[in-house]
Amino acid sequence: RNPHHRRNDGEMTDIAISRRGVPIRLNDERWEHIASEHLELTGLRAEVLMSISHADRVVVGNHDTIWAVRQHGTRYNLVVVYREVSPTDGFVITAFLTSRTAWLDRRQQIWPN
């Protein structure tokens, strides 16, 4: 299936399949919000999507969220926070880079399990 969907108003939605097989949506409006809050992610939309589908590990987040974690360069991990609403739908909430991993290591890991 096509990982991109463009609505009539021009809004683009990208879809990445999570490690649990759930399609996770990232639309333009959400991406603009993320990139404005985390300037270091400007130009990294494809990497954010790749972090969902090719996460090194997936951990339980806060408030029913899931965090996909993927190595980015030598010092950083890209963390993508998303929610799986159903087995066939989910959406990205935010994303950020971090060089610290101890706090991630304390979270329950869901993938690989």
Side-chain angles (χ1 to χ4, degrees):
R1 105 171 125 234
N2 187 345
H4 309 289
H5 175 72
R6 187 175 299 278
R7 291 194 331 226
N8 291 339
D9 62 5
E11 174 89 356
M12 177 76 107
T13 299
D14 291 305
I15 308 256
I17 306 301
S18 75
R19 288 290 196 178
R20 301 201 303 186
V22 177
I24 306 298
R25 295 176 278 116
L26 175 58
N27 66 25
D28 287 343
E29 182 182 0
R30 173 73 354 208
W31 175 247
E32 287 162 19
H33 177 79
I34 292 168
S36 69
E37 295 282 316
H38 302 279
L39 296 177
E40 71 279 9
L41 295 180
T42 301
L44 297 182
R45 184 170 175 160
E47 284 82 352
V48 167
L49 293 162
M50 183 73 71
S51 294
I52 296 167
S53 56
H54 293 84
D56 295 328
R57 61 184 162 148
V58 180
V59 298
V60 174
N62 304 329
H63 311 294
D64 297 323
T65 62
I66 296 169
W67 297 2
V69 182
R70 188 163 193 251
Q71 186 75 33
H72 182 79
T74 54
R75 290 190 47 226
Y76 292 96
N77 280 288
L78 179 52
V79 179
V80 182
V81 178
Y82 62 93
R83 186 167 285 134
E84 292 180 350
V85 181
S86 75
T88 58
D89 184 49
F91 60 92
V92 173
I93 296 168
T94 193
F96 56 91
L97 288 170
T98 183
S99 58
R100 301 195 185 121
T101 57
W103 62 278
L104 287 170
D105 296 338
R106 290 191 291 270
R107 296 191 167 269
Q108 178 189 346
Q109 187 164 298
I110 1 181
W111 190 96
N113 50 10

